[in-house]
């Protein structure tokens, strides 16, 4: 199964997909959660991975006994924190080369500009707040590393943001996943989480395209 098919299978039927990982054993199940969260937050090439919805769905399975909630939280914390740290160093050492190469198609000028504006506005706090916005979640640590943010400042907000973001979505799934309405409409809810989390990005792109071009 290709990586794209792997992600599409997760989005189409997250319960069945995660259940299959759990059935394969704890190493596969926890490793799968770690891998997706780490790649989304730590590798600037994959900002589109469904981190929010994966955490919610994993929390649902912790409520049902498929995951140990404490172990799941620990794995998610490590993946989120190490992922952002990796992204920071990628930006610090390779950031300008990656942008100039133009090979990261998701890193459009509009998304870079939006992430830079977010970082300029909020400063160090952007590392924490950026966790809650797709694409910005991936690009902010990369740009922070490229822009020379002090590492000790980054680490503090990285840890706070990684723990808060992953804990929030896992506990939402854990406490609300057992509600009959949620179970009956689980797939639609997952799609809804993805859609809502993408709204800020879509709005930013639309506003950017609607801005009048400067006259020559």
């Amino acid at each position: 199964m290709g990586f794209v098919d792997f992600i599409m299978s997760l989005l189409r039927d997250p319960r069945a997909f995660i259940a299959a990982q759990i059935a394969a054993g704890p190493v596969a199940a926890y490793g799968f959660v770690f891998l997706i969260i780490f790649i989304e937050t730590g590798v600037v090439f994959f900002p589109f991975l469904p981190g929010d919805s994966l955490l919610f769905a994993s929390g649902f399975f912790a409520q049902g006994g498929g995951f140990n909630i404490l172990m799941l939280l620990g794995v998610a914390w490590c993946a989120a924190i190490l992922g952002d740290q990796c992204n920071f160093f990628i930006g610090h050492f390779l950031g300008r080369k990656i942008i100039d190469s133009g090979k990261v198609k998701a890193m459009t000028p509009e998304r870079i500009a939006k992430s830079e504006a977010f970082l300029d506005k909020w400063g160090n706090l952007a590392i924490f707040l950026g966790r809650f916005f797709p694409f910005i979640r991936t690009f902010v640590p990369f740009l922070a590393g490229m822009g020379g943010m002090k590492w000790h400042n980054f680490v503090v907000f990285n840890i706070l943001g990684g723990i808060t973001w992953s804990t929030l979505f896992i506990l939402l799934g854990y406490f609300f996943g057992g509600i009959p309405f949620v179970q009956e409409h689980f797939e639609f809810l997952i799609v809804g989480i993805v859609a809502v989390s993408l709204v800020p990005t879509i709005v930013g792109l639309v506003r950017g395209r609607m801005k009048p071009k400067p006259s020559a």
Side-chain angles (χ1 to χ4, degrees):
M1 179 185 293
F3 188 73
V4 174
D5 293 335
F6 181 82
I7 299 303
M8 291 306 298
S9 297
L10 171 63
L11 290 175
R12 278 197 300 267
D13 193 351
R15 277 191 293 189
F17 193 86
I18 295 176
Q21 304 302 314
I22 293 173
V27 173
Y30 291 111
F32 161 72
V33 173
F34 182 93
L35 181 66
I36 297 299
I37 299 303
F38 178 84
I39 291 177
E40 187 204 12
T41 58
V43 182
V44 73
F45 299 95
F46 297 102
F48 50 81
L49 295 183
D52 298 336
S53 54
L54 172 64
L55 291 172
F56 181 90
S58 299
F60 165 79
F61 276 95
Q63 190 271 344
F67 285 114
N68 176 284
I69 184 64
L70 296 180
M71 181 69 73
L72 178 62
L73 285 169
V75 168
W77 293 345
C78 289
I81 293 169
L82 292 176
D84 256 30
Q85 188 61 73
C86 175
N87 212 346
F88 179 87
F89 284 130
I90 290 174
H92 181 74
F93 292 107
L94 302 172
R96 182 49 57 190
K97 290 182 180 179
I98 290 174
I99 290 179
D100 291 344
S101 72
K103 293 182 179 180
V104 184
K105 302 304 180 184
M107 189 173 280
T108 62
E110 293 85 358
R111 287 170 180 160
I112 293 175
K114 184 174 182 179
S115 299
E116 288 178 333
F118 189 84
L119 193 56
D120 290 340
K121 179 179 180 179
W122 295 102
N124 294 337
L125 190 59
I127 306 302
F128 177 88
L129 297 175
R131 288 283 187 175
F132 300 90
F133 299 94
F135 291 96
I136 286 180
R137 175 163 57 240
T138 304
F139 295 153
V140 162
F142 175 87
L143 294 172
M146 190 175 73
M149 177 181 285
K150 293 186 181 299
W151 180 77
H152 61 269
N153 291 333
F154 175 84
V155 167
V156 172
F157 289 95
N158 174 27
I159 293 173
L160 292 174
I163 290 176
T164 304
W165 169 66
S166 55
T167 300
L168 174 63
F169 280 95
I170 286 175
L171 293 184
L172 283 173
Y174 183 77
F175 288 112
F176 294 100
I179 297 174
F181 177 84
V182 174
Q183 293 185 348
E184 292 171 8
H185 302 87
F186 194 82
E187 284 72 24
F188 290 106
L189 184 61
I190 292 298
V191 172
I193 292 173
V194 174
V196 169
S197 63
L198 287 175
V199 165
T201 300
I202 295 172
V203 170
L205 291 176
V206 171
R207 290 176 63 182
R209 291 183 180 277
M210 291 178 65
K211 287 182 179 179
K213 295 181 179 180
S215 57

